[in-house]
Amino acid sequence: MSQMDAVRLLLIFSLIAPSLSIGEDVHLLEFKESLQSSSALDSTWIKGTNPCNQDKTWAGVDCRDADYQSVSALLLMNMGLNAVSEDLDIESLGNLQNLRVLSLENNSFSGPIPEFNRLSSLKSLFLSGNQFSGEIPPGYFEKMGSLKKLSLAKNKFSGKIPESLGKLGALMELMLQHNEFSGPIPSLEQKSLEKVDFSYNKLQGEIPQSLSNVAAQAFAGNADLCGSAISKQCNGQSSSPPSPQSPPLPLPKEEKGTVSGMTKWIILAVVVTVLLVTILFKVKKKDQDFSLLVKEIPKENLDEAVQAVQVHTASTNRRSLSSSSHRRSLGGGGGGNSYNAMGSSSSKSRGSNNGKSVNDLVVINEEKGVFGLPDLMKAAAEVLGSGGLGSAYKATMANGVTVVVKRMRDMNKLNRDAFEVEIRKLGRIRHMNILPPLAYHYRKEEKLLITEFVPKGSLLFVLHGDRGVSHSDLNWPTRLKIIKGIARGMGFLHTEFANYELPHGNLKSSNILLSSNYEPLLTDYAIYSLISNTHSVQSLFAYKCPEAVLYQQLTPKSDVFCLGIVVLEIMTGKYPSQYLNNQKGGTDVVLWVRQAISENRVAELIDPEIANTADSMDEMEKMLIIGATCTESECGNRIEMREAIRSIEEVLA
Ligand SMILES: *[C@@H]1O[C@H](CO)[C@@H](O)[C@H](O)[C@H]1NC(C)=O
């Protein structure tokens, strides 16, 4: 596997598991690209490495507040960075989902204020000590409701101080000193304000009552300001001296604001705590899986190795993908020890269970030969990534067969015998658009599912992985072939498992693999009934359909919704925001398509890469409408799978 492939895989899994930091390297590097001078970043900002690696973080990148899973702060002060504001790639920063603090202090940025206001989750924005200039639009801060600290000091900003600052309900610090702001100071009545500085500008007029208790030095160097705060009369009238007894705002308003504000904060704190506990718990679990999987565990001291690995998990899994030697053996040597390396963190089970481990892998489909756990253990393996249900890796065995091994957690709904019956049922399926499992391994705490490795990778990767390189293959006839194949596979599953609540349950582009001639192969189907843990169940994509989100209700029509998303994804070439857990990033394809259809702009939706096939425009539009019909939010009005398949079959190339 080439370095390029490793990077691609990285990208794919960054899309599958947005909670991981994987993929943020790409966004950071895009931002770096937009700078004119950025040599201070050259030595540590390296593509394919983990920006959050605790041993070797990227310069100025801080991930602590996102539990080292994702970038939470960019602290790029004093780095000799330089760019004109219109060149700055703010969009790439917008892809950093956990970014809350941005500092570009003491660099040489110039030009009008860039669109930092698109980063609407920012809590702190520090731009002081640059050459930014010009007026800031009055409504600039309207969408930055999370902002607590803002520093624009020591730049060349001019014009009025933007009024929208007054609407920032959480603002605590506002540093505007040493600029060329003119006009009056807007009234800033938020109770949260703790620290303000307006000194050394060209401000004029009366200092608002709400700021009358601020120390005078915060207004120094503005010859034309007046008001009680600086004990200077306005327009010859004697300003009333500041009175400590009378608050600047009417009391009832203040009281009311404080109480409801308090309640809000308490609720927020509780929610955040619960979330944090959940996330920490989840992350820890994930780490354990990865550490045991990736690291070679020495025979001598398994427990110690496990501990050491847990500390460095994030870096380990990243390194195994991006270092020049991608391959590492999963086993510590002989079969017995390898068995330990696979799963058991207890040193007790270490020893001579070579025979047992062979039996522990149950081959249900012998098309690719019969193999056992020791064969897998000795195989060269690469981590593919981690999703909601577990992690996956690719292993090439000595007999030349390459397989994908998925470690599935939380699959204890059925006992061992029932599990076996169910998996054998899934494995018996023979259909050209379905990829059945080859083998499984059963232990109480974890199951392994082994499937054949499909070289072209997932539809997700082919569509979004590296646009421009292999995309020319993805013409309209190919896309139609893919959609029809998916529909046929779904049709088969909906017949075979007609009595299941969710015959597929997890249809999305990352679970659709493409054969060398672009024949789609569905994976991860019909596993809904195996999953014991409610949290894991919810990572199935069917849980993103409206009836599940709103009423926790799932029906075979939920699969229709998922099919619709894939159809829209293929036709528009856009990454659906529905695949993400929060709505940041991607395109809400359902909403976008619905709007465009209502405004008669269907043609604009089609991926520009195929839109030039003008003579097929009608058929492509037909397919888009089918996608829209499948994603009808009212489950009762949504078409049945049968109908969806029939409509798809009617579309011509
Ligand atoms: C920026 O430079 C000023 C003056 O040189 C210094 O006082 C300030 O601490 C610097 N800011 C940061 C964040 O280093």
Short mmCIF file of all heavy atoms in Angstrom, two decimals, residues 159-187:
data_model
loop_
_atom_site.label_atom_id
_atom_site.label_comp_id
_atom_site.label_asym_id
_atom_site.label_seq_id
_atom_site.Cartn_x
_atom_site.Cartn_y
_atom_site.Cartn_z
N GLY A 159 -13.20 53.62 11.21
CA GLY A 159 -14.65 53.64 11.15
C GLY A 159 -15.26 53.38 12.52
O GLY A 159 -14.56 53.36 13.54
N LYS A 160 -16.57 53.15 12.52
CA LYS A 160 -17.27 52.99 13.79
C LYS A 160 -17.01 51.61 14.42
O LYS A 160 -16.80 50.64 13.70
CB LYS A 160 -18.77 53.15 13.58
CG LYS A 160 -19.18 54.58 13.35
CD LYS A 160 -20.69 54.68 13.41
CE LYS A 160 -21.10 56.15 13.26
NZ LYS A 160 -22.54 56.29 13.04
N ILE A 161 -17.05 51.58 15.72
CA ILE A 161 -17.01 50.29 16.42
C ILE A 161 -18.32 49.57 16.08
O ILE A 161 -19.39 50.14 16.25
CB ILE A 161 -16.90 50.51 17.94
CG1 ILE A 161 -15.56 51.17 18.27
CG2 ILE A 161 -17.06 49.19 18.68
CD1 ILE A 161 -15.38 51.52 19.73
N PRO A 162 -18.25 48.32 15.56
CA PRO A 162 -19.49 47.68 15.09
C PRO A 162 -20.54 47.51 16.19
O PRO A 162 -20.22 47.06 17.29
CB PRO A 162 -19.01 46.31 14.58
CG PRO A 162 -17.56 46.22 14.84
CD PRO A 162 -17.05 47.53 15.33
N GLU A 163 -21.75 47.88 15.84
CA GLU A 163 -22.85 47.82 16.81
C GLU A 163 -23.14 46.41 17.29
O GLU A 163 -23.57 46.19 18.41
CB GLU A 163 -24.13 48.36 16.16
CG GLU A 163 -24.36 49.82 16.38
CD GLU A 163 -25.45 50.32 15.46
OE1 GLU A 163 -26.38 49.53 15.16
OE2 GLU A 163 -25.35 51.48 15.02
N SER A 164 -22.91 45.44 16.39
CA SER A 164 -23.27 44.07 16.74
C SER A 164 -22.49 43.55 17.94
O SER A 164 -22.88 42.54 18.53
CB SER A 164 -23.07 43.15 15.53
OG SER A 164 -21.81 43.38 14.93
N LEU A 165 -21.42 44.25 18.33
CA LEU A 165 -20.72 43.84 19.56
C LEU A 165 -21.67 43.88 20.75
O LEU A 165 -21.55 43.09 21.69
CB LEU A 165 -19.54 44.78 19.81
CG LEU A 165 -18.30 44.56 18.95
CD1 LEU A 165 -17.28 45.66 19.23
CD2 LEU A 165 -17.69 43.20 19.22
N GLY A 166 -22.63 44.78 20.69
CA GLY A 166 -23.59 44.92 21.78
C GLY A 166 -24.50 43.72 21.92
O GLY A 166 -25.15 43.54 22.94
N LYS A 167 -24.55 42.89 20.88
CA LYS A 167 -25.45 41.73 20.93
C LYS A 167 -24.75 40.45 21.38
O LYS A 167 -25.36 39.40 21.43
CB LYS A 167 -26.05 41.49 19.53
CG LYS A 167 -26.92 42.64 19.08
CD LYS A 167 -27.53 42.35 17.73
CE LYS A 167 -28.18 43.61 17.15
NZ LYS A 167 -28.21 43.58 15.69
N LEU A 168 -23.46 40.55 21.64
CA LEU A 168 -22.73 39.34 22.07
C LEU A 168 -22.99 39.10 23.55
O LEU A 168 -22.33 39.69 24.41
CB LEU A 168 -21.23 39.51 21.79
CG LEU A 168 -20.86 39.68 20.32
CD1 LEU A 168 -19.36 39.84 20.16
CD2 LEU A 168 -21.36 38.49 19.51
N GLY A 169 -23.93 38.23 23.84
CA GLY A 169 -24.39 38.05 25.21
C GLY A 169 -23.38 37.44 26.16
O GLY A 169 -23.55 37.48 27.37
N ALA A 170 -22.31 36.84 25.63
CA ALA A 170 -21.35 36.18 26.50
C ALA A 170 -20.03 36.94 26.59
O ALA A 170 -19.10 36.50 27.26
CB ALA A 170 -21.08 34.76 25.99
N LEU A 171 -19.98 38.11 25.93
CA LEU A 171 -18.69 38.82 25.81
C LEU A 171 -18.14 39.24 27.17
O LEU A 171 -18.82 39.88 27.97
CB LEU A 171 -18.88 40.06 24.92
CG LEU A 171 -17.59 40.71 24.44
CD1 LEU A 171 -16.84 39.78 23.50
CD2 LEU A 171 -17.89 42.04 23.74
N MET A 172 -16.90 38.86 27.42
CA MET A 172 -16.26 39.21 28.68
C MET A 172 -15.13 40.21 28.49
O MET A 172 -14.94 41.10 29.30
CB MET A 172 -15.69 37.94 29.34
CG MET A 172 -16.76 36.99 29.83
SD MET A 172 -16.13 35.31 30.07
CE MET A 172 -14.95 35.62 31.36
N GLU A 173 -14.35 40.02 27.43
CA GLU A 173 -13.21 40.90 27.20
C GLU A 173 -13.29 41.52 25.82
O GLU A 173 -13.51 40.82 24.83
CB GLU A 173 -11.90 40.09 27.25
CG GLU A 173 -11.33 39.95 28.62
CD GLU A 173 -9.98 39.24 28.57
OE1 GLU A 173 -9.26 39.37 27.56
OE2 GLU A 173 -9.68 38.55 29.55
N LEU A 174 -13.09 42.82 25.77
CA LEU A 174 -13.15 43.51 24.48
C LEU A 174 -11.97 44.49 24.42
O LEU A 174 -11.95 45.50 25.12
CB LEU A 174 -14.48 44.27 24.36
CG LEU A 174 -14.65 45.11 23.10
CD1 LEU A 174 -14.61 44.23 21.86
CD2 LEU A 174 -15.96 45.88 23.15
N MET A 175 -10.98 44.16 23.62
CA MET A 175 -9.78 44.97 23.55
C MET A 175 -9.69 45.64 22.18
O MET A 175 -9.44 44.99 21.18
CB MET A 175 -8.54 44.08 23.77
CG MET A 175 -8.65 43.15 24.98
SD MET A 175 -9.03 44.00 26.51
CE MET A 175 -7.40 44.46 27.03
N LEU A 176 -9.90 46.96 22.16
CA LEU A 176 -9.91 47.69 20.89
C LEU A 176 -8.83 48.77 20.85
O LEU A 176 -8.79 49.57 19.90
CB LEU A 176 -11.29 48.34 20.67
CG LEU A 176 -12.50 47.40 20.68
CD1 LEU A 176 -13.79 48.17 20.49
CD2 LEU A 176 -12.37 46.32 19.62
N GLN A 177 -7.97 48.79 21.84
CA GLN A 177 -7.01 49.91 21.97
C GLN A 177 -6.03 49.99 20.80
O GLN A 177 -5.78 48.99 20.12
CB GLN A 177 -6.26 49.82 23.31
CG GLN A 177 -5.27 48.66 23.47
CD GLN A 177 -5.91 47.39 24.00
OE1 GLN A 177 -7.09 47.15 23.82
NE2 GLN A 177 -5.10 46.56 24.66
N HIS A 178 -5.49 51.18 20.61
CA HIS A 178 -4.49 51.44 19.56
C HIS A 178 -4.96 51.04 18.17
O HIS A 178 -4.37 50.22 17.49
CB HIS A 178 -3.16 50.72 19.89
CG HIS A 178 -2.49 51.26 21.12
ND1 HIS A 178 -1.74 52.42 21.12
CD2 HIS A 178 -2.49 50.84 22.41
CE1 HIS A 178 -1.29 52.67 22.33
NE2 HIS A 178 -1.74 51.71 23.14
N ASN A 179 -6.10 51.64 17.78
CA ASN A 179 -6.58 51.54 16.41
C ASN A 179 -6.98 52.94 15.96
O ASN A 179 -6.56 53.92 16.59
CB ASN A 179 -7.77 50.58 16.34
CG ASN A 179 -7.33 49.13 16.24
OD1 ASN A 179 -6.83 48.70 15.21
ND2 ASN A 179 -7.50 48.38 17.34
N GLU A 180 -7.78 53.03 14.94
CA GLU A 180 -8.23 54.34 14.49
C GLU A 180 -9.75 54.41 14.47
O GLU A 180 -10.35 55.04 13.59
CB GLU A 180 -7.65 54.63 13.09
CG GLU A 180 -6.14 54.78 13.12
CD GLU A 180 -5.49 54.69 11.74
OE1 GLU A 180 -6.17 55.03 10.75
OE2 GLU A 180 -4.33 54.26 11.66
N PHE A 181 -10.38 53.69 15.38
CA PHE A 181 -11.84 53.73 15.47
C PHE A 181 -12.30 55.16 15.74
O PHE A 181 -11.69 55.88 16.54
CB PHE A 181 -12.34 52.82 16.59
CG PHE A 181 -12.26 51.35 16.27
CD1 PHE A 181 -11.43 50.51 17.01
CD2 PHE A 181 -13.00 50.81 15.23
CE1 PHE A 181 -11.36 49.15 16.71
CE2 PHE A 181 -12.93 49.45 14.93
CZ PHE A 181 -12.10 48.62 15.66
N SER A 182 -13.40 55.53 15.08
CA SER A 182 -13.94 56.87 15.31
C SER A 182 -15.42 56.75 15.63
O SER A 182 -15.98 55.65 15.66
CB SER A 182 -13.71 57.73 14.07
OG SER A 182 -14.29 57.10 12.94
N GLY A 183 -16.06 57.90 15.86
CA GLY A 183 -17.48 57.88 16.18
C GLY A 183 -17.71 57.51 17.64
O GLY A 183 -16.76 57.38 18.42
N PRO A 184 -18.97 57.32 18.00
CA PRO A 184 -19.28 57.06 19.41
C PRO A 184 -19.02 55.60 19.81
O PRO A 184 -18.95 54.72 18.94
CB PRO A 184 -20.78 57.36 19.48
CG PRO A 184 -21.28 57.07 18.10
CD PRO A 184 -20.16 57.38 17.15
N ILE A 185 -18.91 55.39 21.08
CA ILE A 185 -18.82 54.01 21.60
C ILE A 185 -20.25 53.47 21.68
O ILE A 185 -21.10 54.12 22.27
CB ILE A 185 -18.17 54.00 23.00
CG1 ILE A 185 -16.73 54.50 22.90
CG2 ILE A 185 -18.21 52.60 23.60
CD1 ILE A 185 -16.01 54.59 24.23
N PRO A 186 -20.53 52.31 21.05
CA PRO A 186 -21.91 51.81 21.14
C PRO A 186 -22.24 51.39 22.56
O PRO A 186 -21.33 51.12 23.35
CB PRO A 186 -21.90 50.59 20.19
CG PRO A 186 -20.48 50.16 20.13
CD PRO A 186 -19.63 51.39 20.35
N SER A 187 -23.51 51.35 22.86
CA SER A 187 -23.86 50.98 24.23
C SER A 187 -23.66 49.48 24.38
O SER A 187 -24.17 48.68 23.59
CB SER A 187 -25.29 51.39 24.54
OG SER A 187 -26.17 50.35 24.22
#
